[in-house]
Amino acid sequence: MNAEILGGAGFFLGRYDEAAIRRELGEAGILSALAERGYPEVKIRILFDGGQHGLRVVPPRGRISLMDLRLTETTVSLADPAPLRQGLDVLSVLTVHWLALQNPRARFTAAKPQLPGQVYPGLGLGRCVFERLHLWARTWGKDGLVNLPEYFHNAVFYSAMFRFLSPRHQGVFEALQRDLRHLHVAVASSAIAEGRVFESGSQEPLAWEPVEMVASLGEPLKRYLASPEYHQEVQAAREGAGFVVRER
């Protein structure tokens, strides 16, 4: 059941009504940034769909969302021996399932080309949004803030704050960054999405996996991501992988 709640009739994540969300977005600098981009007035829509909490910010007379965010509060069970030795078996996390930030009035340029999955150029507000989500997760006592990067470029943009929970995935990601560094991130991400990136010696294109990246908040998770064991597994995966781009 998809229940869309407008105005103050509903609560985002069971905590924030429309007025409170507007305050949060204001404190995060998001509303002022939208005003600078030509959107001084916006509507806020709170949704709940399929177990996910949704938040949409739209222009007063437009139907195209400027921000579309979907979150859950959930747990992640860990089965690998390494985190278990660090005392990690279940993590309490705030998970970002989807985040789209777009400016329907803008146009793609050579300096900022269209990325896979984009319909309109971005707003340049990703850091502001994730800093506010990080604050929420920390305030609510979460072990971490998790996102699921749908494309390679998402992982690149998130990597300043996030690491893959799996050291193998982190190592493969770092190998991709190394081997595709001669390409603009948009070109590299498109090549992966189009099935033109291959692991050396393989005839099968790389299949990008949107698996968990995490910004650690709790001490056990911080210790694990900083542990020699994690970094050794990352290094082994990175050094064991090599990638090439092939033309169609």
Side-chain angles (χ1 to χ4, degrees):
M1 179 179 180
N2 180 358
E4 179 171 318
I5 309 164
L6 302 184
F11 289 84
F12 181 59
L13 290 166
R15 294 175 175 86
Y16 299 123
D17 63 10
E18 189 271 345
I21 278 291
R22 194 173 287 274
R23 285 195 301 271
E24 291 283 328
L25 297 181
E27 290 173 4
I30 294 168
L31 295 184
S32 59
L34 288 175
E36 291 171 2
R37 289 155 176 77
Y39 303 99
E41 302 293 333
V42 294
K43 291 181 180 179
I44 293 173
R45 296 178 176 175
I46 297 171
L47 309 94
F48 185 77
D49 182 17
Q52 296 181 8
H53 295 266
L55 177 66
R56 296 185 67 219
V57 178
V58 298
R61 290 178 295 278
R63 297 180 59 86
I64 300 171
S65 62
L66 305 173
M67 180 171 83
D68 186 356
L69 173 65
R70 300 171 212 163
L71 301 173
T72 58
E73 291 183 82
T74 187
T75 58
V76 175
S77 296
L78 305 178
D80 292 344
L84 292 174
R85 284 194 289 271
Q86 297 284 334
L88 289 172
D89 53 358
V90 177
L91 300 176
S92 174
V93 298
L94 180 65
T95 298
V96 182
H97 292 273
W98 176 260
L99 174 62
L101 297 164
Q102 56 186 6
N103 185 353
R105 296 178 181 172
R107 296 292 180 267
F108 295 109
T109 66
K112 294 186 177 181
Q114 187 173 13
L115 295 161
Q118 279 191 318
V119 178
Y120 301 101
L123 285 161
L125 296 178
R127 178 171 291 276
C128 289
V129 172
F130 273 106
E131 286 178 352
R132 182 55 42 158
L133 296 176
H134 193 275
L135 175 62
W136 288 351
R138 187 172 68 249
T139 300
W140 301 338
K142 303 299 182 184
D143 295 307
L145 173 64
V146 167
N147 78 73
L148 304 164
E150 185 175 5
Y151 296 100
F152 171 72
H153 66 266
N154 297 130
V156 171
F157 298 153
Y158 298 156
S159 61
M161 185 183 294
F162 293 82
R163 291 179 70 81
F164 282 96
L165 188 55
S166 159
R168 182 182 70 82
H169 282 102
Q170 180 67 29
V172 169
F173 170 64
E174 291 180 11
L176 278 167
Q177 288 185 295
R178 177 196 66 214
D179 295 343
L180 304 184
R181 65 181 180 274
H182 62 290
L183 300 175
H184 189 287
V185 65
V187 176
S189 192
S190 294
I192 294 172
E194 293 166 2
R196 294 189 290 110
V197 174
F198 294 75
E199 190 161 4
S200 300
S202 174
Q203 298 304 311
E204 293 296 323
L206 172 71
W208 178 260
E209 297 180 76
V211 297
E212 294 96 344
M213 295 185 83
V214 62
S216 57
L217 297 169
E219 286 304 318
L221 181 56
K222 289 180 181 180
R223 284 197 301 270
Y224 169 59
L225 294 177
S227 69
E229 201 164 14
Y230 178 87
H231 286 280
Q232 287 165 7
E233 290 192 43
V234 170
Q235 181 180 1
R238 181 179 63 245
E239 294 179 354
F243 297 94
V244 294
V245 180
R246 299 177 185 169
E247 297 304 322
R248 295 181 184 276

